[in-house]
């Protein structure tokens, strides 16, 4: 069995990737410092797959501990998700974001290099694209980060490009995610943000369950179908499957690829609210409020390169994202 190191593997996206990797018969080793997750994800993974991956509770920046992990396990490839991910938080605490995201990645790449493990899939984000881009966005569109979080992703992308130019043996997949949503259909793993959620899906979900009173819709005067912001929501299980496809691609190709993972469809906030109401059979209370600083009117992917290179295409609908988010919320 091929051994894959999954950094941040207990988190929202990582736990779903873990399930897909196990389904594909990879042996998964997780490193996570629990800064935004808990060991409960491991129980969910075990219940879904019948298998409990090896877990190292450790910080990626702890080089000695990372060296030990590579010594103890013959790791073939790394899927690197560990990092902080909130745009707003990064504006308040830029140093902590640069430190965690960039230093974590440098430490990881140094240890990988030392152990001659030169294959990595990296979680990037649509936030690296310049706000002036035409939709849909293709991978060649101009880049410009508008937050320290986005800058940290851009720096890492650049670092990976430079590494690849310096040594032909590296195989690198940079995956730019659009808006992950939903949960595993079992309801055993899903998104469990600490504190009050910032993102749309977890927020609506908390309103539906009664923990929060109403959704604030940030802006209803955008140039979109109904005035509310439009995004490319992608089911987290589709996203997870994209990582397996990237691993397969890297087996036969020594180079760097940069690929969007999105559906190519844009849905407005009001469309999501309507679909969620159908899924939970409840009314979602909402009010319109001011636009949120830094938000774009619309953002959706051109996903054609993923189909061409990875033979990957998102299959699950907005309805499935709402149904699975609600199922997870009820079972939590
Ligand atoms: P998450 O917070 O649920 O998962 C990240 C995991 O990494 C957590 O379990 C956390 O404890 C761990 N972690 C953080 N810093 C660490 C460190 N220094 N050492 C060890 N573990 C550490 O986030 P997620 O939504 O699963 O996102 C995973 C990745 O995907 C992130 O890199 C994020 O930037 C990227 N991404 C996420 C989204 C999204 O909307 N969720 C969109 C685009 C890109
Ligand atoms: N949004 C909203 N209310 C919320 C959270 C989000 O109206 O409480 C809107 C937001 O303005 C954007 C869309 O929902 O148009 C998706 O926002 P999210 O934070 O989930 O993702 P991102 O901003 O990263 O695309």
């Amino acid at each position: 069995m091929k051994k894959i190191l999954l950094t941040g593997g207990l988190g929202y996206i990582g736990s779903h990737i873990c399930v897909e990797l196990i389904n594909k018969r990879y042996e998964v080793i997780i490193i996570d410092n629990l800064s935004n997750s808990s060991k409960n994800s491991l129980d969910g993974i075990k219940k879904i797959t019948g298998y409990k991956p090896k877990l190292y509770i450790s910080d990626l920046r702890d080089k000695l501990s990372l060296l030990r992990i590579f010594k103890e396990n013959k790791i073939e490839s790394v899927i690197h998700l560990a990092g902080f991910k909130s745009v707003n938080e990064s504006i308040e605490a830029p140093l902590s974001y640069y430190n965690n995201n960039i230093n974590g990645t440098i430490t990881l790449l140094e240890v990988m290099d030392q152990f001659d493990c030169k294959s990595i899939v990296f979680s990037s984000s649509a936030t690296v694209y310049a706000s002036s881009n035409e939709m849909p966005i293709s991978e060649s569109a101009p880049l410009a980060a508008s937050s320290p979080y986005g800058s940290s992703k851009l720096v890492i992308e650049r670092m990976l490009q430079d590494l690849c130019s310096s040594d032909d043996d590296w195989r690198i997949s940079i995956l730019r995610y659009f808006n992950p949503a939903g949960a595993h259909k079992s309801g055993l793993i899903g998104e469990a943000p600490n504190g009050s959620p910032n993102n749309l899906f977890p927020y609506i979900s908390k309103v539906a369950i009664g923990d929060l009173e109403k959704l604030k819709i940030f802006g209803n005067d955008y140039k979109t179908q109904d005035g509310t912001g439009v995004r490319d929501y992608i089911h987290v299980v589709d996203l997870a499957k994209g990582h397996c496809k990237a691993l397969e691609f890297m087996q036969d190709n020594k180079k760097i690829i940069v690929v969007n993972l999105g559906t190519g469809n844009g849905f407005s906030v009001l469309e999501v609210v309507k679909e969620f109401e159908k899924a939970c059979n409840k009314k979602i209370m909402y009010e319109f409020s001011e636009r949120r600083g830094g938000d774009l009117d619309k953002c959706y992917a051109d996903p054609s390169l993923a189909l061409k290179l990875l033979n990957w295409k998102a299959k699950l609908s907005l309805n499935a994202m709402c149904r699975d988010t609600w199922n997870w919320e009820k079972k939590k």
Side-chain angles (χ1 to χ4, degrees), residues 212-228:
L212 293 169
E213 193 197 335
K214 57 176 117 157
L215 170 72
K216 273 192 179 155
I217 298 186
F218 301 137
N220 62 345
D221 57 353
Y222 285 112
K223 281 193 191 131
T224 60
Q225 51 264 47
D226 54 28
T228 65

Side-chain angles (χ1 to χ4, degrees), residues 193 240 329:
E329 185 66 52

Side-chain angles (χ1 to χ4, degrees), residues 285-311:
M285 300 304 287
Y286 67 81
E287 66 183 11
F288 294 117
S289 75
E290 292 295 295
R291 290 180 177 194
R292 184 172 64 179
D295 268 1
L296 298 178
D297 55 348
K298 26 183 157 114
C299 179
Y300 51 93
D302 172 350
S304 54
L305 188 64
L307 182 61
K308 190 171 147 206
L309 287 182
L310 307 179
N311 192 26

Side-chain angles (χ1 to χ4, degrees), residues 156-175:
I156 296 168
E157 286 201 6
R158 183 59 201 264
M159 208 155 69
L160 291 169
Q161 302 270 8
D162 290 342
L163 190 59
C164 209
S165 312
S166 75
D167 178 348
D168 286 342
D169 288 342
W170 278 91
R171 284 162 294 158
I172 298 174
S173 294
I174 294 173
L175 304 181

Side-chain angles (χ1 to χ4, degrees), residues 41 104 108 243 286 297 328:
S41 312
L108 172 68
H243 292 72
Y286 67 81
D297 55 348
W328 157 246

Side-chain angles (χ1 to χ4, degrees), residues 18 28 47 64 82 125 131 134 136 199 201 245 252 263 273 311:
C18 187
V28 184
K47 280 189 190 140
L64 285 179
S125 161
S131 55
E134 295 284 304
N199 296 113
F201 266 78
K245 292 286 193 180
D252 308 320
T263 64
V273 168
N311 192 26

